[in-house]
Amino acid sequence: MNAILLDLDGVLYQGDQALPKADEVLDWIRRQAIRHLFLTNTTSRPRAAIVEKLSRLGIAVDTEDILTPPVAARAWLAERGLARVALFVNPSTRADFTGLTPLAPDAEGGAEAVILGDMGTGWDYPTLNRAFRLLMAEPRPLLIALGMTRYWRAPDGLRLDTAPFVAALQHATGVEPIVLGKPARPFFETALTAAGSTAAETLMVGDDIRSDIAGAQAAGLKTLLVRTGKFRPADLESGIRPDGVIDSIADLPAWWQRADAGTSGSAEPVSGIP
């Protein structure tokens, strides 16, 4: 392996707290000159805001090293000459859709693509129904899902993410969503291209057994599950088998060295930063 893809929320930080030794592990990755990229399905804030939050937590990350679904979606639409979009995303995230032409907030037709991300409490019946009407208008637009994460862990407990709302609109309209985020294979392939690595040489580290682990495995990557964030013991009985399981990101360096030596085993937690 010569590259690492890392999830952010639940792996490097949780809520408003950095997870122990996250900054030290990133320093180790840089000292080892391991190619790396940060993958997140976060669509509630732009990349600049993610970098700012990480900085407050003592974690230094460059904006260009973060791949988000809005960035991938913008490039995907530009390649196909599509610009008129209906954005169902957090207002601050609109900054990552430069170059596109968002429709008016009350428009119910005329979209070439309807883009859904995490709106949190911004979802209500009128908003969901407007997305439905846009998708039913002729000519029928594309339905772009910025990831298919089912839920995430907030300070007050679990919260719904993007997938349930995409599923509701898919069921009502019959439109198959185009997923440009985890666990979709094209998202991981975009990450591999950006990291300059191949799937067989790349490790995905995440806390979501489906979006991070199963998604990466479907794209041919090796996978490492952390017991932080949204991890639950039942994940290990889901039938999805990561290449390894560690207690937290702090254990990554030791696991990597064991894997490099061919002695990582199956899922034994290890610890310590060299």
Side-chain angles (χ1 to χ4, degrees):
M1 296 179 292
N2 62 22
I4 302 176
L5 305 180
L6 299 114
D7 184 31
L8 289 172
D9 193 355
V11 175
L12 297 185
Y13 70 90
Q14 190 165 313
D16 290 322
Q17 295 288 329
L19 287 168
K21 298 190 176 181
D23 56 336
E24 296 179 42
V25 172
L26 293 185
D27 287 342
W28 173 83
I29 290 173
R30 295 178 183 117
R31 289 198 308 271
Q32 299 297 313
I34 300 171
R35 300 173 189 174
H36 60 282
L37 194 69
F38 303 96
L39 270 60
T40 175
N41 269 1
T42 297
T43 58
S44 59
R45 59 177 72 93
R47 287 190 299 174
I50 296 173
V51 170
E52 182 182 347
K53 174 173 182 173
L54 291 171
S55 178
R56 291 198 307 269
L57 300 180
I59 301 172
V61 173
D62 292 331
T63 303
E64 295 75 18
D65 292 335
I66 300 176
L67 180 63
T68 65
V71 173
R74 182 183 64 194
W76 190 90
L77 290 166
E79 288 173 1
R80 290 156 180 77
L82 303 175
R84 295 194 314 276
V85 298
L87 294 176
F88 290 85
V89 299
N90 188 292
S92 63
T93 307
R94 290 172 174 261
D96 282 340
F97 289 96
T98 54
L100 301 179
T101 306
L103 300 185
D106 58 350
E108 295 186 351
E112 293 176 309
V114 176
I115 301 177
L116 264 69
D118 177 17
M119 291 179 59
T121 56
W123 284 113
D124 55 21
Y125 180 81
T127 301
L128 191 61
N129 200 57
R130 188 172 75 86
F132 166 72
R133 289 178 176 177
L134 282 160
L135 289 166
M136 294 296 287
E138 296 291 345
R140 301 287 287 272
L142 301 175
L143 172 57
I144 307 292
L146 301 179
M148 285 296 281
T149 302
R150 299 169 299 154
Y151 60 87
W152 61 287
R153 184 177 294 280
D156 63 348
L158 299 179
R159 294 186 184 182
L160 292 176
D161 207 303
T162 306
F165 300 99
V166 174
L169 291 169
Q170 177 185 3
H171 178 74
T173 65
V175 177
E176 287 292 325
I178 297 167
V179 182
L180 295 174
K182 298 179 291 184
R185 186 185 186 106
F187 191 69
F188 286 102
E189 291 173 343
T190 299
L192 291 172
T193 299
S197 184
T198 65
E201 299 171 324
T202 304
L203 176 72
M204 175 68 205
V205 182
D207 65 321
D208 189 314
I209 192 68
R210 289 181 172 81
S211 289
D212 295 329
I213 305 305
Q217 287 180 340
L221 284 74
K222 299 184 186 303
T223 57
L224 185 61
L225 180 67
V226 295
R227 299 179 190 265
T228 52
K230 66 176 64 173
F231 169 83
R232 293 186 170 195
D235 292 344
L236 299 178
E237 301 173 3
S238 65
I240 302 168
R241 296 186 59 83
D243 293 284
V245 181
I246 55 177
D247 285 339
S248 75
I249 192 66
D251 301 328
L252 172 61
W255 186 92
W256 178 274
Q257 291 184 342
R258 291 177 60 190
D260 212 28
T263 59
S264 62
S266 55
E268 289 295 324
V270 294
S271 60
I273 296 177

